[in-house]
Amino acid sequence: NAGVTQTPKFRVLKTGQSMTLLCAQDMNHEYMYWYRQDPGMGLRLIHYSVGEGTTAKGEVPDGYNVSRLKKQNFLLGLESAAPSQTSVYFCASSYLKRGSYEQYFGPGTRLTVT
Amino acid sequence: RKEVEQDPGPFNVPEGATVAFNCTYSNSASQSFFWYRQDCRKEPKLLMSVYSSGNEDGRFTAQLNRASQYISLLIRDSKLSDSATYLCVVNLFNGGATNKLIFGTGTLLAVQP
């Protein structure tokens, strides 16, 4: 049981380049999330998904797109990277437990945009 | 005002000390509450949920005061391995359609030998 995995772990992009971050979970969780974490800001929700084929915007969605074609995978795309997107990106998944949704996080992707 | 506010620290304490972290949240509709732990350059991991009646897990005790919109975490007999950032997290559960976790910026704990 690998839990939540993310690829790649590190990436350096030039401004304007595109890339896709992959998140995979093997816990059969319905909900999946993408966050970014910046110093002094805490984790901020980019997009999330409540099930296969559905996605929704979070707090900071601009400049990102997502897709959830399979229940176990949640992809985050940057179409035209900007230096402001330099951050650590975390994927998470969750299920319903006792009326609340505890989230399990992947190890993160460190992205630098130059 | 931030939705979830924490003292950023750092809290530098000797081994064996008792340390308390506090957190306040602004949205009275918040439904669920958690403390997560994040080690340096690692992902956040759930430490414990916080229930209305308060709850304890070994050396860790969590308290919730809904009237004051205040959450606390007490760590007794601190260990070197407790050194980490502790994130206060609030869940604005809304029937599943907009389930959101709101994270505080975290409190850094450094336990000294």
Coordinates of all heavy atoms in Angstrom, one line a residue, chain A residues 31 33 35 37 40-43 45 48 50 90 98-103 105-107 110, chain B residues 2 32 34 36 38 41-44 46 49 51 87 91 93 96-99 101 103 105:
Chain A
Y31 N -12.1 11.6 -2.7 CA -11.7 13.0 -2.8 C -10.2 13.1 -3.1 O -9.4 12.4 -2.4 CB -12.0 13.8 -1.5 CG -13.4 14.2 -1.3 CD1 -14.5 13.3 -1.4 CD2 -13.7 15.5 -1.0 CE1 -15.8 13.7 -1.2 CE2 -15.1 15.9 -0.8 CZ -16.1 15.0 -0.9 OH -17.4 15.4 -0.8
Y33 N -7.0 16.3 -3.9 CA -6.8 17.7 -3.8 C -5.4 18.1 -4.3 O -4.5 17.2 -4.2 CB -6.8 18.2 -2.3 CG -8.0 17.7 -1.6 CD1 -8.0 16.4 -1.0 CD2 -9.1 18.5 -1.4 CE1 -9.1 15.9 -0.3 CE2 -10.2 18.0 -0.7 CZ -10.2 16.8 -0.1 OH -11.3 16.3 0.6
Y35 N -2.6 21.2 -3.5 CA -2.3 22.4 -2.7 C -0.9 22.9 -3.2 O -0.1 22.2 -3.7 CB -2.1 22.0 -1.2 CG -3.4 21.6 -0.5 CD1 -3.7 20.2 -0.5 CD2 -4.2 22.5 0.2 CE1 -4.9 19.8 0.2 CE2 -5.3 22.1 0.8 CZ -5.6 20.8 0.9 OH -6.8 20.4 1.6
Q37 N 2.3 25.2 -1.2 CA 2.8 25.7 0.1 C 3.9 26.6 -0.2 O 4.9 26.3 -0.7 CB 3.2 24.5 1.0 CG 3.6 25.0 2.4 CD 3.9 23.8 3.3 OE1 4.5 22.8 2.9 NE2 3.5 24.0 4.6
G40 N 5.3 31.2 4.9 CA 4.5 32.2 5.6 C 3.0 32.2 5.1 O 2.3 33.1 5.5
M41 N 2.7 31.3 4.2 CA 1.3 31.3 3.6 C 0.5 30.1 4.0 O -0.7 30.2 3.9 CB 1.4 31.4 2.1 CG 2.1 32.5 1.5 SD 1.2 34.1 1.7 CE -0.1 33.8 0.5
G42 N 1.1 29.1 4.5 CA 0.3 27.9 4.8 C 0.0 27.2 3.5 O 0.3 27.7 2.4
L43 N -0.7 26.1 3.6 CA -1.1 25.4 2.4 C -2.4 26.0 1.8 O -3.3 26.3 2.5 CB -1.4 23.9 2.7 CG -0.2 23.0 2.8 CD1 0.1 22.8 4.3 CD2 -0.5 21.7 2.1
L45 N -5.4 25.7 -1.3 CA -6.0 24.7 -2.2 C -6.1 25.3 -3.6 O -6.6 26.4 -3.8 CB -7.4 24.4 -1.7 CG -8.2 23.4 -2.4 CD1 -7.5 22.0 -2.4 CD2 -9.6 23.3 -1.8
Y48 N -9.7 20.8 -6.6 CA -10.0 19.5 -5.9 C -11.0 18.7 -6.7 O -11.6 19.2 -7.7 CB -10.5 19.7 -4.5 CG -11.8 20.4 -4.4 CD1 -13.0 19.7 -4.1 CD2 -11.9 21.8 -4.4 CE1 -14.2 20.4 -4.0 CE2 -13.1 22.5 -4.3 CZ -14.2 21.8 -4.1 OH -15.4 22.4 -4.0
V50 N -14.2 15.7 -6.3 CA -15.0 14.9 -5.4 C -15.3 13.5 -5.9 O -16.0 12.7 -5.3 CB -16.3 15.6 -5.0 CG1 -16.0 16.9 -4.3 CG2 -17.2 15.8 -6.2
F90 N 1.6 19.9 -3.1 CA 1.2 18.7 -2.4 C -0.1 18.2 -2.9 O -1.0 19.0 -3.1 CB 1.1 18.9 -0.9 CG 2.4 19.0 -0.2 CD1 2.8 20.3 0.2 CD2 3.2 17.9 0.1 CE1 4.1 20.4 0.9 CE2 4.4 18.1 0.8 CZ 4.8 19.3 1.2
R98 N -16.2 9.4 10.3 CA -16.8 10.0 11.5 C -17.3 11.5 11.2 O -17.1 12.4 12.0 CB -15.9 10.0 12.7 CG -15.6 8.7 13.2 CD -14.7 8.7 14.4 NE -15.4 9.4 15.6 CZ -14.8 9.5 16.8 NH1 -13.6 9.0 17.0 NH2 -15.5 10.1 17.7
G99 N -17.8 11.7 10.0 CA -18.4 13.0 9.6 C -17.3 14.0 9.2 O -17.7 15.2 9.0
S100 N -16.1 13.6 9.1 CA -15.1 14.6 8.6 C -14.2 13.9 7.6 O -14.1 12.7 7.6 CB -14.3 15.2 9.8 OG -13.5 14.2 10.4
Y101 N -13.5 14.7 6.9 CA -12.6 14.2 5.9 C -11.2 14.4 6.3 O -10.6 15.4 6.1 CB -12.9 14.9 4.6 CG -14.2 14.5 3.9 CD1 -15.4 15.1 4.4 CD2 -14.3 13.7 2.9 CE1 -16.6 14.7 3.9 CE2 -15.5 13.3 2.3 CZ -16.7 13.9 2.8 OH -17.9 13.5 2.2
E102 N -10.5 13.3 6.8 CA -9.1 13.4 7.1 C -8.3 13.2 5.8 O -8.7 12.4 5.0 CB -8.7 12.3 8.1 CG -9.4 12.4 9.4 CD -9.1 11.4 10.4 OE1 -8.0 10.8 10.3 OE2 -9.9 11.1 11.3
Q103 N -7.3 14.0 5.6 CA -6.6 14.0 4.3 C -5.2 13.4 4.5 O -4.5 13.6 5.5 CB -6.5 15.4 3.7 CG -7.8 16.0 3.4 CD -7.8 17.3 2.6 OE1 -6.7 17.7 2.2 NE2 -8.9 17.9 2.4
F105 N -1.5 13.0 2.6 CA -0.7 13.8 1.6 C 0.4 13.0 1.0 O 0.9 12.0 1.6 CB 0.0 15.0 2.4 CG -1.0 16.1 2.7 CD1 -1.8 16.0 3.8 CD2 -1.1 17.2 1.9 CE1 -2.7 17.0 4.1 CE2 -1.9 18.2 2.1 CZ -2.7 18.1 3.2
G106 N 0.7 13.3 -0.3 CA 1.8 12.8 -0.9 C 3.1 13.5 -0.5 O 3.0 14.5 0.3
P107 N 4.3 13.1 -1.0 CA 5.6 13.7 -0.5 C 5.9 15.0 -1.0 O 6.8 15.7 -0.6 CB 6.6 12.6 -0.9 CG 5.9 12.0 -2.1 CD 4.5 12.0 -1.9
R110 N 8.7 19.7 -5.7 CA 9.3 21.1 -5.5 C 9.6 21.6 -6.9 O 10.4 21.0 -7.7 CB 10.7 21.0 -4.8 CG 10.4 20.5 -3.4 CD 11.7 20.5 -2.5 NE 11.3 20.0 -1.2 CZ 10.8 20.8 -0.2 NH1 10.7 22.1 -0.5 NH2 10.5 20.3 0.9
Chain B
K2 N -6.8 36.4 9.0 CA -6.6 35.0 8.5 C -7.7 34.1 9.1 O -8.2 34.3 10.2 CB -5.3 34.5 8.9 CG -4.1 35.1 8.2 CD -2.8 34.5 8.5 CE -1.7 35.2 7.8 NZ -0.4 34.6 8.3
S32 N -15.0 20.6 11.7 CA -14.1 19.6 12.2 C -12.7 20.3 12.3 O -12.4 21.2 11.6 CB -13.9 18.4 11.2 OG -15.2 17.8 11.0
F34 N -8.4 19.7 13.3 CA -7.3 18.7 13.3 C -6.0 19.4 13.7 O -5.8 20.6 13.5 CB -7.1 18.1 11.9 CG -8.3 17.5 11.3 CD1 -9.1 18.3 10.5 CD2 -8.6 16.2 11.5 CE1 -10.3 17.7 9.9 CE2 -9.7 15.6 10.9 CZ -10.6 16.4 10.1
Y36 N -2.1 18.8 12.4 CA -1.2 18.0 11.6 C 0.2 18.4 12.0 O 0.5 19.5 12.5 CB -1.4 18.4 10.1 CG -2.5 17.7 9.3 CD1 -3.8 18.0 9.6 CD2 -2.2 16.8 8.3 CE1 -4.8 17.3 9.0 CE2 -3.2 16.2 7.6 CZ -4.5 16.4 8.0 OH -5.5 15.8 7.3
Q38 N 4.2 18.6 10.5 CA 5.0 18.6 9.2 C 6.5 18.7 9.6 O 6.9 19.7 10.2 CB 4.6 19.8 8.3 CG 5.3 19.8 7.0 CD 4.7 20.8 6.0 OE1 4.1 21.8 6.4 NE2 4.9 20.5 4.7
R41 N 10.7 19.9 5.1 CA 10.8 19.4 3.7 C 10.0 18.1 3.5 O 10.3 17.3 2.6 CB 12.2 19.3 3.3 CG 13.0 20.6 3.4 CD 14.4 20.4 2.9 NE 14.5 20.3 1.5 CZ 14.5 21.3 0.6 NH1 14.4 22.5 1.0 NH2 14.7 21.0 -0.7
K42 N 9.0 17.9 4.4 CA 8.2 16.7 4.2 C 6.7 17.1 4.1 O 6.4 18.3 4.2 CB 8.3 15.8 5.4 CG 9.8 15.2 5.7 CD 10.1 14.2 4.6 CE 11.4 13.5 5.0 NZ 11.8 12.5 4.0
E43 N 5.9 16.1 3.9 CA 4.4 16.4 3.7 C 3.8 16.4 5.1 O 4.3 15.8 6.1 CB 3.7 15.3 2.9 CG 3.6 13.9 3.6 CD 4.8 13.0 3.4 OE1 5.9 13.5 3.1 OE2 4.6 11.8 3.5
P44 N 2.7 17.2 5.2 CA 1.9 17.2 6.5 C 1.3 15.8 6.8 O 0.9 15.1 5.8 CB 0.8 18.2 6.2 CG 1.2 19.0 5.0 CD 2.1 18.0 4.2
L46 N -1.4 13.8 9.6 CA -2.3 13.9 10.6 C -1.8 13.5 12.0 O -1.3 12.4 12.1 CB -3.6 13.2 10.3 CG -4.7 13.2 11.4 CD1 -5.3 14.7 11.4 CD2 -5.8 12.3 11.1
S49 N -7.2 14.3 15.5 CA -8.4 15.1 15.3 C -8.7 15.8 16.7 O -8.2 15.3 17.7 CB -9.6 14.2 14.9 OG -9.3 13.6 13.7
Y51 N -11.8 16.8 19.1 CA -13.2 16.6 19.4 C -13.7 17.6 20.4 O -12.9 18.1 21.3 CB -13.5 15.2 19.8 CG -13.0 14.2 18.7 CD1 -12.1 13.2 19.1 CD2 -13.5 14.2 17.4 CE1 -11.6 12.3 18.1 CE2 -13.1 13.3 16.5 CZ -12.1 12.4 16.8 OH -11.7 11.5 15.9
L87 N 0.6 22.2 12.5 CA -0.4 22.9 11.7 C -1.8 22.7 12.3 O -2.2 21.6 12.5 CB -0.4 22.4 10.2 CG 0.9 22.4 9.5 CD1 0.7 21.7 8.1 CD2 1.5 23.8 9.3
N91 N -11.9 22.3 9.1 CA -12.7 21.7 8.0 C -14.0 22.4 7.9 O -14.8 22.4 8.8 CB -12.9 20.2 8.2 CG -13.6 19.6 7.1 OD1 -14.3 20.2 6.3 ND2 -13.4 18.3 7.0
F93 N -16.7 21.6 6.3 CA -17.5 20.6 5.6 C -18.9 21.2 5.3 O -19.5 21.8 6.1 CB -17.7 19.4 6.6 CG -18.5 18.3 5.9 CD1 -18.0 17.6 4.9 CD2 -19.7 18.0 6.4 CE1 -18.7 16.6 4.3 CE2 -20.5 17.0 5.9 CZ -20.0 16.3 4.8
G96 N -20.3 17.8 1.5 CA -19.5 17.1 0.5 C -19.2 17.9 -0.7 O -18.3 17.6 -1.4
A97 N -20.0 18.9 -1.0 CA -19.8 19.7 -2.3 C -18.6 20.6 -2.2 O -17.9 20.7 -3.2 CB -21.0 20.5 -2.6
T98 N -18.4 21.2 -1.1 CA -17.2 22.1 -1.0 C -16.4 21.8 0.3 O -16.1 22.7 1.1 CB -17.7 23.5 -0.9 OG1 -18.6 23.7 0.2 CG2 -18.4 24.0 -2.2
N99 N -16.2 20.5 0.5 CA -15.3 20.2 1.6 C -14.0 20.8 1.5 O -13.3 20.6 0.5 CB -15.2 18.7 1.7 CG -14.2 18.2 2.7 OD1 -14.4 18.6 3.9 ND2 -13.2 17.5 2.3
L101 N -10.3 22.0 3.7 CA -9.5 22.1 4.8 C -8.8 23.5 4.8 O -8.2 23.8 3.7 CB -8.4 21.0 4.9 CG -8.9 19.6 5.3 CD1 -7.7 18.7 5.5 CD2 -9.8 19.6 6.5
F103 N -5.8 25.6 6.4 CA -4.6 25.4 7.2 C -4.0 26.7 7.8 O -4.0 27.7 7.1 CB -3.5 24.8 6.3 CG -3.7 23.4 5.9 CD1 -4.6 23.1 4.8 CD2 -3.1 22.3 6.5 CE1 -4.8 21.8 4.4 CE2 -3.3 21.0 6.1 CZ -4.2 20.7 5.1
T105 N -0.7 28.6 9.3 CA 0.7 28.7 8.7 C 1.7 27.8 9.6 O 2.8 27.6 9.1 CB 1.2 30.1 8.6 OG1 1.1 30.7 9.9 CG2 0.4 30.9 7.6

